[in-house]
């Protein structure tokens, strides 16, 4: 497996972004897309703790994608206590896909929707918090939106893969998930992964990564920290595909998981291997 650095750009214009990154579906890191947001200076651990520490927040752990605990909340905690926890050191407890703006509407005044492209979904603003070393497993976003992920205070490592690499990543059918670990690749178990090309970056405070629609991403919290995801859609095709993914998840994957449990998980793993082997045989 080869990892290529993701380009970082300052002063990228709307026209350049659309022609060189959005249309060809190519990731890029903006160093200054969020430079005028009050949140970049305001949202520190101390400020969030002092002003909103009493909020109850839902936490997930590394079992979030287990067949018998799919997307279950592990526990709840006071926001201030959780912030202190991730400042102290490693933990696998994360705030995942949380619309904090429904709980604290005034925080929306601290961000700005970019003008770098059209189609931002202004009702879908999510925050992600995690401790040092915590992981978001390899996946692509179910709604198939383009994602603009802005990092605050600390560092986050991201590894992205094009949708063309799906079979090499052992994509589990009826899901948007892969069990491949790109930081610790197991070529004996996943031999097709050897031929994959990934794109890697470390995201720093105030930087924003553009994750194109349908692109796979794996995230590691280098330090305890947090980020904000804004979503945009520029294609009817991907919007329809996102709707189909939601239906497939709700009516196929969740139903079969309830009905068959781990047997359904094992079938998906087997099918992912068969699809990867078919690719390797075609290329032999």
């Amino acid at each position: 497996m080869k990892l290529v650095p993701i380009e970082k750009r300052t002063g990228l214009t709307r026209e350049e972004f659309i022609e060189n990154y959005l249309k060809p579906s190519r990731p890029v890191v903006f160093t200054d897309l969020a430079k005028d947001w009050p949140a970049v200076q305001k949202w520190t651990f101390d400020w969030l703790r002092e002003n909103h520490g009493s909020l109850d927040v839902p936490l997930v752990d590394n079992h979030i994608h287990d067949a018998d605990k799919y997307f279950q909340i592990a526990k709840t905690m006071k926001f201030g206590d959780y912030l202190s926890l991730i400042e102290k050191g490693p933990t696998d407890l994360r705030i995942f896909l949380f619309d904090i703006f429904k709980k604290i509407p005034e925080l929306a005044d601290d961000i700005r929707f970019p003008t770098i492209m059209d189609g931002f979904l202004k009702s879908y603003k999510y925050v992600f918090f995690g401790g040092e070393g915590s992981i978001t497993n390899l996946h692509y976003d179910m709604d198939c939106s383009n994602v603009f992920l802005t990092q605050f205070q600390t560092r986050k490592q991201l590894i992205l893969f094009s949708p063309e690499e799906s079979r090499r990543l052992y994509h589990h059918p009826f899901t948007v998930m892969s069990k491949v670990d790109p930081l610790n690749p197991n070529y004996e178990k996943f031999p097709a992964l050897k031929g994959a090309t990934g794109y890697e970056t470390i995201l720093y405070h105030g930087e924003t990564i553009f994750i194109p629609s349908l692109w796979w991403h794996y995230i590691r919290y280098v330090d305890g920290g947090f980020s904000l995801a804004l979503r945009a859609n520029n294609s009817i095709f991907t919007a329809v595909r996102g709707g189909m993914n939601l239906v497939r998840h709700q009516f196929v994957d969740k139903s079969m998981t309830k009905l068959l449990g781990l047997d359904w998980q094992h079938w998906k793993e087997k099918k992912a291997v068969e699809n990867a082997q078919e690719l390797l045989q075609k290329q032999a």
Side-chain angles (χ1 to χ4, degrees), residues 19 40 164 186 227 249:
E19 289 301 318
V40 173
E164 283 74 27
N186 184 338
S227 55
H249 168 67

Side-chain angles (χ1 to χ4, degrees), residues 51-90:
N51 290 274
H52 305 293
S54 62
L55 177 69
D56 288 315
V57 293
L59 305 177
V60 301
D61 59 20
N62 288 340
H63 296 290
I64 183 174
H65 296 300
D66 288 1
D68 58 342
K69 297 179 181 178
Y70 202 58
F71 277 91
Q72 288 186 11
I73 300 302
K75 63 187 298 186
T76 59
M77 185 181 288
K78 293 296 181 185
F79 191 30
D81 293 338
Y82 177 73
L83 291 171
S84 297
L85 177 68
I86 64 173
E87 274 194 295
K88 288 177 182 176

Side-chain angles (χ1 to χ4, degrees), residues 66-70 173-174 251-269:
D66 288 1
D68 58 342
K69 297 179 181 178
Y70 202 58
F174 298 100
F251 294 104
V252 179
D253 192 43
K254 284 183 72 174
S255 297
M256 294 299 286
T257 296
K258 288 180 181 178
L259 182 65
L260 298 177
L262 290 176
D263 286 341
W264 175 241
Q265 176 72 19
H266 294 155
W267 180 86
K268 291 186 290 187
E269 291 174 354

